[in-house]
């Protein structure tokens, strides 16, 4: 299937590793021009080199802290300068810290709001005027199944993600007539660095081995395994492409069948 991504200009948040990295890789492989963003310049440079080695196309690294208003603004301005415009926004960053309610102070709540809702709404505000002017835009948020159902030990995520899904649904309806399609990907369990760390923490808390924890975790996944980040990349490139012309406002679980909700 031809996705029509050649030459499209994309900015991918949280792309130095994990799911953002996988989405950037998939976009580059489809011929898009890609800016990758994350906080740490050295990690970003490393990721850029790895992405070029894997795809043959170099992304443009731009360091940005997506919790900072100035930094988000700088990211969009520099991307516009470098690429001459933005067709695709992949709104992604790290998740809020795990842990039960009483383990979180106010600063963690603030971080969860800034990272999830603040970064997405502000980035959309920054990119949408030019997408409207050009009559094309694709916005894909990387969210979580924690936006769809409660997950024990992820209260910050469970509280902040539904707000992001609500935002995307409303924005999709407002922007449809401008050919700006807005969708959310809700991953289940993917074996990224963050997930590996989360698994270690949970296993330690329960006094079991990580392997045991992962087996137990996978037993609740009908497809019997955690996901490969590449699988999120594959879904994201379709949603972000001109080939996607009729899906907007959707929150799509990609979880091996883990979530049980019907709607
Ligand atoms: P990750 O920790 O592996 O990678 C996060 C990326 O975001 C890194 O590049 C990191 O440098 C960057 N980042 C973190 N904070 C940032 C900030 N303030 N400004 C700019 N960049 C920042 O995470 P991941 O597993 O790739 O997850 C990506 C998103 O998907 C998160 O919101 C996560 O909660 C969600 N998610 C992941 C999984 C999973 O299984 N991996 C499952 C459900 C949801």
């Amino acid at each position: 299937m031809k996705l029509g991504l050649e030459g499209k200009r994309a900015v991918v948040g949280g792309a130095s590793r994990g799911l953002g990295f996988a989405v950037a890789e998939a976009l580059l492989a489809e011929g898009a021009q890609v800016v990758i963003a994350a906080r740490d310049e050295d990690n970003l440079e490393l990721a850029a080199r790895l992405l070029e080695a894997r795809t043959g196309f170099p992304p443009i690294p731009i360091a940005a802290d997506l919790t900072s208003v100035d930094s988000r603004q700088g990211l969009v301005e520099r991307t516009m300068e470098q690429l001459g415009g933005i067709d695709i926004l992949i709104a992604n960053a790290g998740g809020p810290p795990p842990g039960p309610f009483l383990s979180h102070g106010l600063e963690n709540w603030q971080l969860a709001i800034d990272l999830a809702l603040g970064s997405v709404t502000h980035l959309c505000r920054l990119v949408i005027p030019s997408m409207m002017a050009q009559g094309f835009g694709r916005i894909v948020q990387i969210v979580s199944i924690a936006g769809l159902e409660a997950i024990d030990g992820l209260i910050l995520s469970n509280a902040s993600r539904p707000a992001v899904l609500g935002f995307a649904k409303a924005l999709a309806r407002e922007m449809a007539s401008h050919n700006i399609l807005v969708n959310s990907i809700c991953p289940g369990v993917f074996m990224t660095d963050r997930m590996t760390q989360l698994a270690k923490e949970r296993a330690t808390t329960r006094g079991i081995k990580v392997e045991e924890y992962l087996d137990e975790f996978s037993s609740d996944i009908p497809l019997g395994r955690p996901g490969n980040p590449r699988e999120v990349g594959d879904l994201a490139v379709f949603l972000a492409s001109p080939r996607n012309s009729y899906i907007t406002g959707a929150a799509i679980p990609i979880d091996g069948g883990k979530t049980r909700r019907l709607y």
Side-chain angles (χ1 to χ4, degrees), residues 57-142:
F57 300 106
I60 301 168
I62 297 180
D65 179 352
L66 293 175
T67 59
S68 147
V69 170
D70 289 347
S71 199
R72 290 176 210 138
Q73 193 137 9
L75 171 64
V76 171
E77 281 168 8
R78 287 183 61 197
T79 303
M80 294 279 195
E81 280 164 26
Q82 296 271 343
L83 301 182
I86 296 177
D87 301 302
I88 297 163
L89 166 66
I90 306 293
N92 174 61
F101 180 57
L102 291 178
S103 68
H104 298 297
L106 280 183
E107 67 286 1
N108 280 2
W109 282 97
Q110 194 59 53
L111 174 71
I113 300 300
D114 286 347
L115 209 52
L117 195 59
S119 73
V120 171
T121 52
H122 190 204
L123 287 173
C124 286
R125 183 67 187 80
L126 292 168
V127 302
I128 277 178
S130 68
M131 288 179 171
M132 285 171 77
Q134 70 201 12
F136 179 90
R138 295 289 182 270
I139 297 172
V140 179
Q141 313 187 123
I142 308 296

